[in-house]
Amino acid sequence: MQRIDDEDLFWMADLDWKAHGPAREGYIGRDMFLAEAAELLGKRICGIWPGLVHFLRMAEYPPPSDIVEADEAFGADEKPIPGIYDREHGVMLAHAVSLDVPLHDADDIDRAEWALIVDKARQQWDDGLGARRAAAGIARAFARLAFEEEIDVHARPFGDKGYVRLGPEFWEVDDEQAIRRLAACALSIDRPYEPAAQPDHRIFVGHNRYARAIDRASRRWYVPVCALDEELKRDEDQTSVRVSEVAHFLAGLMVPANSDWNDERFKDAVQAEFGSGGLGVTYNRAKAKAVAHPDRRYFGTAGRRRIPIA
């Protein structure tokens, strides 16, 4: 997936991302709130998904700005350099307040406190950059899955029951529209394509097909998150395709109509679906799992005869 320049994502910090905070855990029902679904998708397509609570909410963190290092504001004797210190004091005090950095005296920030403010500001900027990168990639991938009807998406009105199916016609959107929906986890059902329209329906995703869809998505897209030149590998890239996934696929092929299939034909089908990661040890374990069912034991025996089809 093509990366969007970080500066082109700074506008995302002005959106309301609270749906991805503690509020996301307050929805109970048969389907997933979009915030939960987005995190599951992100963990499969983003490299690397950080172990941070409510990571996507950090997209609201402010973009990077100029900041004066402690070495520039203080001399070798650790005393403030008057011209620089006086000019930057108000900016650093504002940073300290927003970052919850404790100060012994707000009118007299010392060198250690100044350095701590700089470190915390840079960490917040990095977290915000990563969250915006992740959110932009997730929004694009989710919209594509919904448009292609790989997943089941619907909307529920605020404060009311019932739902509206969000078919592919709702997902002919650009990146900005997809991101705005992800941020709010909601949309205006009557004006779904207007950025200024006030959302009135929350977005939910069906469980039934979602796990399978994001498995496929992990092989289709890669969203770099970390602020590094080299792309980092996801867990998905470092391990073989899950045995249970291949076993489920094989079970669907082990039907009477395919009773004349040999092992090579099953392997060809697996490779076409999963790539080389589905072969080798993964294939052997998956096949053993699939043929363990009484209805499929026939496919695990050598020299078998064709099953008569009634």
Side-chain angles (χ1 to χ4, degrees), residues 41-157:
L41 176 59
K43 288 178 177 178
R44 300 303 302 274
I45 68 174
C46 293
I48 294 175
W49 187 268
L52 299 172
V53 178
H54 306 141
F55 174 51
L56 289 182
R57 184 166 187 180
M58 297 178 185
E60 68 187 15
Y61 285 173
S65 60
D66 293 333
I67 194 166
V68 174
E69 300 285 347
D71 289 342
E72 299 175 54
F74 292 81
D77 58 359
E78 299 202 352
K79 292 183 178 179
I81 299 174
I84 299 175
Y85 180 93
D86 294 341
R87 185 186 71 229
E88 300 295 330
H89 176 269
V91 174
M92 297 303 287
L93 181 59
H95 280 312
V97 172
S98 66
L99 295 167
D100 294 325
V101 177
L103 302 174
H104 77 282
D105 183 350
D107 294 326
D108 184 21
I109 303 175
D110 64 30
R111 190 186 188 287
E113 292 169 339
W114 193 289
L116 180 60
I117 293 169
V118 171
D119 287 344
K120 287 208 166 192
R122 292 194 185 283
Q123 184 59 60
Q124 186 186 71
W125 294 337
D126 285 346
D127 291 343
L129 283 173
R132 287 188 287 274
R133 290 173 180 174
I138 292 168
R140 182 185 291 179
F142 185 89
R144 174 62 61 180
L145 292 174
F147 176 74
E148 295 174 352
E149 298 187 90
E150 292 278 326
I151 56 178
D152 303 308
V153 189
H154 67 269
R156 297 181 194 169

Side-chain angles (χ1 to χ4, degrees), residues 1 7 17 25 40 45 80 124 136 176 183-184 195 199 201 206 213 232 237 251 260 266 270 279 290 293 296 302-303:
M1 184 176 290
E7 291 186 2
W17 291 88
E25 296 156 13
L40 291 175
I45 68 174
Q124 186 186 71
E176 180 181 344
H201 282 64
L232 296 177
D237 302 317
D260 58 345
F266 282 115
V270 167
L279 300 179
H293 191 280
R296 296 187 291 270

Side-chain angles (χ1 to χ4, degrees), residues 16-33:
D16 184 351
W17 291 88
K18 69 175 178 290
H20 296 270
R24 55 164 277 191
E25 296 156 13
Y27 297 96
I28 301 172
R30 64 178 184 179
D31 298 319
M32 286 182 288
F33 186 44

Side-chain angles (χ1 to χ4, degrees), residues 182-202:
L182 176 64
C185 293
L187 82 167
S188 168
I189 206 69
D190 294 323
R191 296 187 294 162
Y193 309 111
E194 296 182 27
Q198 187 67 25
D200 51 26
H201 282 64
R202 293 187 177 89

